[in-house]
Amino acid sequence: MNEVLLFSIGAIVAYLVSGLRVLREYERAVYFFLGRSWGAKGPGLIFLPPLFAKMQKVSMRVMALDIPPQDVITRDNISIKVNAVLYMRVVDTVKAVIGVENYLYVTSQLAQTTLRSVLGETEMDELLANRDKINAILKQIIDERAEAWGIEVSAVEVKDVDLPPEMKRAMARQAEAERERRAKIINAEGELQASEKLAQAARIIGQEPAALQLRYLQTVNEIASENNSTTFFPIPMDLLRGFMDLTRHATANQAALPERASGESVPAPVSSAKAKV
């Protein structure tokens, strides 16, 4: 009799010990007793009656779900390949286990279809320039539809956009033309500013004649400091102005003399006495 009692006690203790489970801080267990859900348990030590109850562990940590590359045709009829990454976590373990068969697979399929539909209504330039806006739209749509499954979407990030080779060449030419345009504008602005400064310097030098001589000496000093074997001495035009005036008067006097044929003598000047008669 004592042996039967001890065996019964040992069997009960073994039964109770075999039903003990330990769950980590980030784990929850959806408890099923005789096929019916009795909610979620954990973390810590829980008891699971063998043969009568089962559980399914669910991680409550944030998971990164990779969205495979999707072939998308944008609104401006450009074919591209886009992949993204989805950050999600389970907030309601009962809904995540009972509501869907495999919440990871369902969320992945939802993210792929949403990615294709949203990018299909977006132009390529907007996708490349306003990626944060596209990410916010994707997160909002996926989060609203996955909320019924007990899943919270933290963020959706478009990771890579693969463009066709001809589109890459076209964009490279466009960027090159844009840079050439900016270079020409900067060069023109520099020429304008330089001309304004030269005009201002000319006005100042015109008011102070000594400034021209100082500038002349400074130019000679700069040329001589380069250790050249040949030195150029610029001559101001004011020094040649007297010779130019003499040449101009001589040319004018030549033009005032009367023309004569060959062999004809120049008429003598009329005396003043005959002029009085």
Side-chain angles (χ1 to χ4, degrees):
M1 189 68 180
N2 292 332
E3 294 178 356
V4 175
L5 182 60
L6 291 176
F7 178 77
S8 300
I9 294 174
I12 292 172
V13 172
Y15 178 81
L16 295 176
V17 171
S18 63
L20 296 178
R21 300 288 187 274
V22 177
L23 298 178
R24 297 180 178 89
E25 182 65 29
Y26 56 85
E27 291 179 336
R28 300 293 184 274
V30 180
Y31 185 77
F32 294 94
F33 185 78
L34 296 177
R36 295 180 63 87
S37 173
W38 283 50
K41 292 188 176 182
L45 182 65
I46 64 172
F47 176 71
L48 185 69
L51 304 178
F52 298 101
K54 292 184 179 180
M55 72 173 185
Q56 183 173 348
K57 290 183 181 180
V58 179
S59 177
M60 304 290 289
R61 293 177 294 183
V62 176
M63 292 175 286
L65 192 62
D66 190 25
I67 303 176
Q70 302 295 313
D71 292 325
V72 180
I73 299 178
T74 60
R75 190 168 63 181
D76 48 355
N77 297 325
I78 298 176
S79 178
I80 58 177
K81 276 190 175 183
V82 182
N83 62 343
V85 58
L86 173 70
Y87 299 95
M88 52 163 285
R89 62 184 293 265
V90 178
V91 293
D92 193 334
T93 56
V94 177
K95 288 183 179 180
V97 173
I98 299 177
V100 291
E101 181 178 359
N102 188 340
Y103 63 90
L104 290 176
Y105 176 76
V106 171
T107 307
S108 175
Q109 294 299 313
L110 175 61
Q112 293 179 32
T113 55
T114 305
L115 182 65
R116 285 195 298 266
S117 62
V118 170
L119 297 185
E121 299 176 358
T122 307
E123 294 185 357
M124 189 193 65
D125 292 339
E126 185 179 0
L127 171 62
L128 298 177
N130 300 324
R131 189 170 294 186
D132 293 338
K133 179 181 177 181
I134 302 298
N135 295 336
I137 295 174
L138 290 171
K139 175 188 176 301
Q140 181 181 0
I141 295 175
I142 298 174
D143 191 24
E144 289 178 356
R145 300 179 64 177
E147 185 179 0
W149 306 330
I151 296 172
E152 178 185 6
V153 178
S154 302
V156 180
E157 299 288 341
V158 176
K159 188 164 56 175
D160 188 19
V161 179
D162 189 9
L163 299 174
E166 57 272 10
M167 182 56 61
K168 291 181 180 179
R169 290 193 294 268
M171 293 178 66
R173 290 194 299 269
Q174 180 182 1
E176 184 179 358
E178 178 66 20
R179 291 186 178 274
E180 289 181 357
R181 183 185 68 86
R182 293 180 183 177
K184 290 180 180 179
I185 292 175
I186 294 174
N187 190 18
E189 290 179 353
E191 293 291 339
L192 177 61
Q193 294 176 3
S195 63
E196 291 176 353
K197 294 299 181 181
L198 287 175
Q200 183 179 0
R203 287 194 297 269
I204 295 175
I205 292 175
Q207 295 175 0
E208 298 291 337
L212 182 62
Q213 184 65 21
L214 293 176
R215 182 59 182 167
Y216 165 73
L217 295 176
Q218 182 180 1
T219 303
V220 172
N221 186 24
E222 291 177 356
I223 295 174
S225 64
E226 295 180 358
N227 298 323
N228 293 329
S229 59
T230 304
T231 303
F232 295 93
F233 291 94
I235 300 176
M237 296 300 296
D238 293 340
L239 298 179
L240 303 177
R241 185 170 298 173
F243 298 101
M244 294 174 64
D245 291 341
L246 292 176
T247 305
R248 191 180 300 110
H249 290 311
T251 305
N253 293 333
Q254 265 186 349
L257 292 175
E259 297 182 358
R260 61 186 181 84
S262 61
E264 183 180 356
S265 60
V266 179
V270 180
S271 62
S272 60
K274 291 183 178 180
K276 293 181 180 180
V277 177

